[in-house]
Amino acid sequence: MKSVIFTLLGKDKPGIMEAISRTVRKQDGNWLASNFAHMGGHFTGFVEVQLPEDNIQPLLNQLDAMPELNIRLVQGDTQGASQTHKAALEIMGNDKPGIVQELTSVLHKFNINILKFSSSCEPAPNWGGQLFKASVQIEFPDKFDLDPLRQALEQIANDMVVDVEWQG
Protein backbone atom coordinates (compact mmCIF):
# COMPACT_ATOMS: atom_id res chain seq x y z
CA MET A 1 0.00 0.00 0.00
CA LYS A 2 1.23 3.48 -0.91
CA SER A 3 0.16 6.85 0.38
CA VAL A 4 -0.50 9.41 -2.36
CA ILE A 5 -1.72 12.97 -2.23
CA PHE A 6 -3.58 14.67 -5.03
CA THR A 7 -4.60 18.27 -5.38
CA LEU A 8 -7.52 19.39 -7.45
CA LEU A 9 -8.95 22.58 -8.81
CA GLY A 10 -11.97 23.10 -11.01
CA LYS A 11 -15.22 24.90 -11.56
CA ASP A 12 -17.51 24.10 -8.65
CA LYS A 13 -20.62 22.00 -9.21
CA PRO A 14 -22.62 19.49 -7.17
CA GLY A 15 -21.27 15.94 -7.09
CA ILE A 16 -17.51 16.58 -7.34
CA MET A 17 -16.72 15.01 -3.96
CA GLU A 18 -18.93 12.01 -4.62
CA ALA A 19 -17.27 11.41 -7.99
CA ILE A 20 -13.78 11.67 -6.48
CA SER A 21 -14.58 9.40 -3.53
CA ARG A 22 -16.21 6.85 -5.83
CA THR A 23 -13.11 6.84 -8.05
CA VAL A 24 -10.81 6.36 -5.05
CA ARG A 25 -12.97 3.50 -3.77
CA LYS A 26 -13.00 1.77 -7.19
CA GLN A 27 -9.21 1.62 -7.01
CA ASP A 28 -9.31 0.02 -3.52
CA GLY A 29 -8.23 3.29 -1.99
CA ASN A 30 -8.63 4.28 1.63
CA TRP A 31 -9.39 8.00 2.13
CA LEU A 32 -7.01 9.15 4.91
CA ALA A 33 -7.39 12.94 5.03
CA SER A 34 -8.66 15.86 2.99
CA ASN A 35 -9.23 19.59 2.98
CA PHE A 36 -11.51 21.38 0.51
CA ALA A 37 -12.65 24.94 -0.09
CA HIS A 38 -14.91 26.91 -2.38
CA MET A 39 -13.47 30.18 -3.68
CA GLY A 40 -14.57 32.41 -6.50
CA GLY A 41 -16.80 29.78 -8.09
CA HIS A 42 -14.08 27.13 -7.98
CA PHE A 43 -13.64 24.01 -5.88
CA THR A 44 -10.14 23.29 -4.65
CA GLY A 45 -8.53 20.94 -2.19
CA PHE A 46 -6.21 18.10 -1.52
CA VAL A 47 -6.71 14.50 -0.52
CA GLU A 48 -4.43 11.83 0.92
CA VAL A 49 -5.34 8.26 0.08
CA GLN A 50 -3.68 4.92 0.57
CA LEU A 51 -4.00 2.31 -2.15
CA PRO A 52 -2.15 -0.58 -3.81
CA GLU A 53 0.83 0.67 -5.82
CA ASP A 54 -0.53 -0.89 -9.02
CA ASN A 55 -3.70 1.20 -8.67
CA ILE A 56 -1.99 4.61 -8.48
CA GLN A 57 -1.75 5.19 -12.24
CA PRO A 58 -5.31 3.96 -12.94
CA LEU A 59 -6.54 6.32 -10.20
CA LEU A 60 -4.68 9.24 -11.75
CA ASN A 61 -6.01 8.34 -15.22
CA GLN A 62 -9.59 8.25 -13.95
CA LEU A 63 -9.22 11.51 -12.03
CA ASP A 64 -7.61 13.17 -15.08
CA ALA A 65 -10.61 12.11 -17.18
CA MET A 66 -12.96 14.18 -15.01
CA PRO A 67 -14.04 17.23 -17.04
CA GLU A 68 -12.93 20.68 -15.91
CA LEU A 69 -10.87 19.30 -13.00
CA ASN A 70 -7.10 19.79 -12.80
CA ILE A 71 -5.37 17.09 -10.76
CA ARG A 72 -1.79 16.75 -9.51
CA LEU A 73 -0.50 13.65 -7.75
CA VAL A 74 2.49 13.22 -5.43
CA GLN A 75 3.67 10.35 -3.29
CA GLY A 76 3.07 10.76 0.44
CA ASP A 77 5.96 10.90 2.87
CA THR A 78 5.68 7.89 5.15
CA GLN A 79 8.91 8.47 7.07
CA GLY A 80 8.51 8.82 10.82
CA ALA A 81 8.52 12.42 11.95
CA SER A 82 10.81 13.68 14.67
CA GLN A 83 9.32 14.70 18.01
CA THR A 84 7.34 17.89 17.46
CA HIS A 85 4.65 19.91 19.16
CA LYS A 86 1.74 21.88 17.76
CA ALA A 87 0.11 25.15 18.68
CA ALA A 88 -2.63 27.29 17.18
CA LEU A 89 -2.68 31.02 16.61
CA GLU A 90 -5.75 33.16 16.07
CA ILE A 91 -5.13 36.54 14.44
CA MET A 92 -7.76 39.27 14.19
CA GLY A 93 -7.67 42.95 13.37
CA ASN A 94 -8.53 45.65 10.89
CA ASP A 95 -7.54 44.44 7.44
CA LYS A 96 -4.51 46.03 5.81
CA PRO A 97 -1.88 44.91 3.33
CA GLY A 98 1.02 42.96 4.81
CA ILE A 99 -0.54 41.09 7.73
CA VAL A 100 0.08 37.63 6.23
CA GLN A 101 3.57 38.57 5.04
CA GLU A 102 4.58 39.91 8.47
CA LEU A 103 3.22 36.86 10.29
CA THR A 104 4.79 34.32 7.95
CA SER A 105 8.08 36.22 7.99
CA VAL A 106 8.32 35.88 11.78
CA LEU A 107 7.42 32.19 11.64
CA HIS A 108 10.04 31.62 8.94
CA LYS A 109 12.68 33.51 10.95
CA PHE A 110 12.19 30.97 13.76
CA ASN A 111 12.05 28.05 11.28
CA ILE A 112 8.47 27.25 12.30
CA ASN A 113 6.46 24.97 10.04
CA ILE A 114 2.92 26.06 9.15
CA LEU A 115 0.62 23.02 9.10
CA LYS A 116 -2.64 24.85 8.35
CA PHE A 117 -3.43 28.43 7.44
CA SER A 118 -6.95 29.68 6.95
CA SER A 119 -7.85 33.34 6.55
CA SER A 120 -10.76 35.54 5.62
CA CYS A 121 -11.89 39.14 5.50
CA GLU A 122 -15.36 40.15 6.54
CA PRO A 123 -17.16 43.41 7.17
CA ALA A 124 -16.44 44.90 10.58
CA PRO A 125 -19.94 45.91 11.71
CA ASN A 126 -18.99 48.83 13.96
CA TRP A 127 -15.93 50.11 12.12
CA GLY A 128 -17.06 50.32 8.52
CA GLY A 129 -13.96 48.54 7.25
CA GLN A 130 -12.84 44.97 6.73
CA LEU A 131 -11.90 42.65 9.60
CA PHE A 132 -9.04 40.23 8.90
CA LYS A 133 -9.17 36.83 10.64
CA ALA A 134 -6.70 33.96 10.41
CA SER A 135 -6.30 30.60 12.09
CA VAL A 136 -2.82 29.15 11.92
CA GLN A 137 -1.64 25.76 13.16
CA ILE A 138 2.12 25.58 13.62
CA GLU A 139 4.60 22.83 14.40
CA PHE A 140 7.84 23.29 16.31
CA PRO A 141 10.59 20.93 17.49
CA ASP A 142 10.84 19.39 20.94
CA LYS A 143 12.63 21.65 23.45
CA PHE A 144 11.96 24.74 21.33
CA ASP A 145 11.95 27.95 23.43
CA LEU A 146 8.62 29.61 22.60
CA ASP A 147 9.31 32.86 24.49
CA PRO A 148 11.35 34.61 21.73
CA LEU A 149 8.72 33.58 19.16
CA ARG A 150 5.88 34.89 21.34
CA GLN A 151 7.74 38.19 21.80
CA ALA A 152 8.34 38.57 18.06
CA LEU A 153 4.67 37.86 17.30
CA GLU A 154 3.54 40.32 19.99
CA GLN A 155 5.80 42.97 18.44
CA ILE A 156 4.29 42.62 14.96
CA ALA A 157 0.80 42.45 16.48
CA ASN A 158 1.43 45.80 18.17
CA ASP A 159 2.95 47.31 15.03
CA MET A 160 0.06 46.16 12.81
CA VAL A 161 -2.67 46.65 15.43
CA VAL A 162 -3.90 43.07 15.35
CA ASP A 163 -4.55 40.56 18.13
CA VAL A 164 -2.60 37.31 18.23
CA GLU A 165 -3.92 34.64 20.59
CA TRP A 166 -2.15 31.35 21.38
CA GLN A 167 -4.10 28.13 21.81
CA GLY A 168 -2.38 24.96 22.96
mmCIF file of all heavy atoms in Angstrom, residues 88-105:
data_model
loop_
_atom_site.group_PDB
_atom_site.id
_atom_site.type_symbol
_atom_site.label_atom_id
_atom_site.label_comp_id
_atom_site.label_asym_id
_atom_site.label_seq_id
_atom_site.Cartn_x
_atom_site.Cartn_y
_atom_site.Cartn_z
ATOM 1 N N ALA A 88 -1.747 26.557 18.089
ATOM 2 C CA ALA A 88 -2.630 27.287 17.182
ATOM 3 C C ALA A 88 -2.571 28.765 17.514
ATOM 4 O O ALA A 88 -2.447 29.148 18.679
ATOM 5 C CB ALA A 88 -4.054 26.772 17.306
ATOM 6 N N LEU A 89 -2.641 29.574 16.474
ATOM 7 C CA LEU A 89 -2.677 31.025 16.612
ATOM 8 C C LEU A 89 -3.962 31.526 15.983
ATOM 9 O O LEU A 89 -4.365 31.046 14.925
ATOM 10 C CB LEU A 89 -1.496 31.673 15.888
ATOM 11 C CG LEU A 89 -0.101 31.247 16.284
ATOM 12 C CD1 LEU A 89 0.921 31.829 15.319
ATOM 13 C CD2 LEU A 89 0.201 31.703 17.695
ATOM 14 N N GLU A 90 -4.586 32.482 16.621
ATOM 15 C CA GLU A 90 -5.751 33.161 16.067
ATOM 16 C C GLU A 90 -5.367 34.627 15.924
ATOM 17 O O GLU A 90 -4.945 35.252 16.894
ATOM 18 C CB GLU A 90 -6.961 33.016 16.988
ATOM 19 C CG GLU A 90 -7.440 31.584 17.164
ATOM 20 C CD GLU A 90 -8.042 30.986 15.909
ATOM 21 O OE1 GLU A 90 -8.677 31.742 15.133
ATOM 22 O OE2 GLU A 90 -7.885 29.779 15.694
ATOM 23 N N ILE A 91 -5.499 35.157 14.727
ATOM 24 C CA ILE A 91 -5.132 36.540 14.442
ATOM 25 C C ILE A 91 -6.394 37.277 14.011
ATOM 26 O O ILE A 91 -7.177 36.765 13.204
ATOM 27 C CB ILE A 91 -4.066 36.625 13.330
ATOM 28 C CG1 ILE A 91 -2.773 35.938 13.765
ATOM 29 C CG2 ILE A 91 -3.759 38.059 12.956
ATOM 30 C CD1 ILE A 91 -2.632 34.553 13.345
ATOM 31 N N MET A 92 -6.594 38.488 14.563
ATOM 32 C CA MET A 92 -7.755 39.268 14.187
ATOM 33 C C MET A 92 -7.426 40.753 14.308
ATOM 34 O O MET A 92 -6.760 41.169 15.257
ATOM 35 C CB MET A 92 -8.954 38.945 15.081
ATOM 36 C CG MET A 92 -10.199 39.677 14.666
ATOM 37 S SD MET A 92 -11.716 39.135 15.496
ATOM 38 C CE MET A 92 -11.317 39.355 17.197
ATOM 39 N N GLY A 93 -7.858 41.516 13.330
ATOM 40 C CA GLY A 93 -7.668 42.954 13.372
ATOM 41 C C GLY A 93 -8.175 43.611 12.110
ATOM 42 O O GLY A 93 -8.610 42.931 11.173
ATOM 43 N N ASN A 94 -8.125 44.930 12.087
ATOM 44 C CA ASN A 94 -8.526 45.654 10.885
ATOM 45 C C ASN A 94 -7.657 45.193 9.724
ATOM 46 O O ASN A 94 -6.434 45.078 9.861
ATOM 47 C CB ASN A 94 -8.366 47.159 11.083
ATOM 48 C CG ASN A 94 -9.401 47.723 12.029
ATOM 49 O OD1 ASN A 94 -10.492 47.178 12.169
ATOM 50 N ND2 ASN A 94 -9.058 48.812 12.680
ATOM 51 N N ASP A 95 -8.290 44.919 8.596
ATOM 52 C CA ASP A 95 -7.536 44.441 7.440
ATOM 53 C C ASP A 95 -6.648 45.546 6.881
ATOM 54 O O ASP A 95 -7.032 46.722 6.853
ATOM 55 C CB ASP A 95 -8.486 43.953 6.348
ATOM 56 C CG ASP A 95 -7.746 43.324 5.189
ATOM 57 O OD1 ASP A 95 -6.761 42.602 5.445
ATOM 58 O OD2 ASP A 95 -8.133 43.578 4.040
ATOM 59 N N LYS A 96 -5.450 45.140 6.494
ATOM 60 C CA LYS A 96 -4.514 46.033 5.811
ATOM 61 C C LYS A 96 -3.490 45.171 5.092
ATOM 62 O O LYS A 96 -3.240 44.025 5.485
ATOM 63 C CB LYS A 96 -3.854 46.991 6.790
ATOM 64 C CG LYS A 96 -2.969 46.309 7.819
ATOM 65 C CD LYS A 96 -2.386 47.293 8.796
ATOM 66 C CE LYS A 96 -3.298 47.351 9.965
ATOM 67 N NZ LYS A 96 -3.001 48.183 11.032
ATOM 68 N N PRO A 97 -2.897 45.680 4.043
ATOM 69 C CA PRO A 97 -1.884 44.905 3.330
ATOM 70 C C PRO A 97 -0.702 44.565 4.239
ATOM 71 O O PRO A 97 -0.269 45.393 5.046
ATOM 72 C CB PRO A 97 -1.442 45.847 2.206
ATOM 73 C CG PRO A 97 -2.572 46.798 2.028
ATOM 74 C CD PRO A 97 -3.179 46.964 3.394
ATOM 75 N N GLY A 98 -0.212 43.343 4.117
ATOM 76 C CA GLY A 98 1.017 42.964 4.806
ATOM 77 C C GLY A 98 0.854 42.099 6.032
ATOM 78 O O GLY A 98 1.855 41.601 6.568
ATOM 79 N N ILE A 99 -0.365 41.879 6.512
ATOM 80 C CA ILE A 99 -0.541 41.085 7.731
ATOM 81 C C ILE A 99 0.016 39.675 7.537
ATOM 82 O O ILE A 99 0.795 39.185 8.359
ATOM 83 C CB ILE A 99 -2.023 41.033 8.171
ATOM 84 C CG1 ILE A 99 -2.510 42.426 8.558
ATOM 85 C CG2 ILE A 99 -2.203 40.059 9.336
ATOM 86 C CD1 ILE A 99 -4.006 42.493 8.852
ATOM 87 N N VAL A 100 -0.378 39.011 6.460
ATOM 88 C CA VAL A 100 0.075 37.634 6.229
ATOM 89 C C VAL A 100 1.582 37.595 6.030
ATOM 90 O O VAL A 100 2.275 36.735 6.585
ATOM 91 C CB VAL A 100 -0.674 37.006 5.027
ATOM 92 C CG1 VAL A 100 -0.096 35.644 4.685
ATOM 93 C CG2 VAL A 100 -2.162 36.890 5.337
ATOM 94 N N GLN A 101 2.127 38.544 5.284
ATOM 95 C CA GLN A 101 3.573 38.566 5.044
ATOM 96 C C GLN A 101 4.334 38.759 6.353
ATOM 97 O O GLN A 101 5.326 38.080 6.598
ATOM 98 C CB GLN A 101 3.923 39.670 4.036
ATOM 99 C CG GLN A 101 5.366 39.644 3.564
ATOM 100 C CD GLN A 101 6.331 40.330 4.535
ATOM 101 O OE1 GLN A 101 6.006 41.360 5.100
ATOM 102 N NE2 GLN A 101 7.489 39.735 4.723
ATOM 103 N N GLU A 102 3.900 39.671 7.198
ATOM 104 C CA GLU A 102 4.579 39.911 8.472
ATOM 105 C C GLU A 102 4.536 38.669 9.358
ATOM 106 O O GLU A 102 5.540 38.274 9.946
ATOM 107 C CB GLU A 102 3.948 41.101 9.217
ATOM 108 C CG GLU A 102 4.197 42.426 8.562
ATOM 109 C CD GLU A 102 5.623 42.929 8.742
ATOM 110 O OE1 GLU A 102 6.317 42.500 9.676
ATOM 111 O OE2 GLU A 102 6.038 43.763 7.927
ATOM 112 N N LEU A 103 3.380 38.057 9.458
ATOM 113 C CA LEU A 103 3.216 36.862 10.286
ATOM 114 C C LEU A 103 4.091 35.718 9.780
ATOM 115 O O LEU A 103 4.841 35.112 10.551
ATOM 116 C CB LEU A 103 1.745 36.434 10.297
ATOM 117 C CG LEU A 103 1.451 35.110 10.999
ATOM 118 C CD1 LEU A 103 1.755 35.205 12.490
ATOM 119 C CD2 LEU A 103 0.008 34.711 10.764
ATOM 120 N N THR A 104 4.009 35.438 8.491
ATOM 121 C CA THR A 104 4.787 34.316 7.954
ATOM 122 C C THR A 104 6.287 34.602 7.986
ATOM 123 O O THR A 104 7.091 33.686 8.122
ATOM 124 C CB THR A 104 4.332 33.956 6.525
ATOM 125 O OG1 THR A 104 4.445 35.099 5.677
ATOM 126 C CG2 THR A 104 2.899 33.441 6.529
ATOM 127 N N SER A 105 6.663 35.854 7.898
ATOM 128 C CA SER A 105 8.077 36.224 7.993
ATOM 129 C C SER A 105 8.636 35.886 9.370
ATOM 130 O O SER A 105 9.741 35.341 9.499
ATOM 131 C CB SER A 105 8.252 37.708 7.688
ATOM 132 O OG SER A 105 9.596 38.086 7.791
#
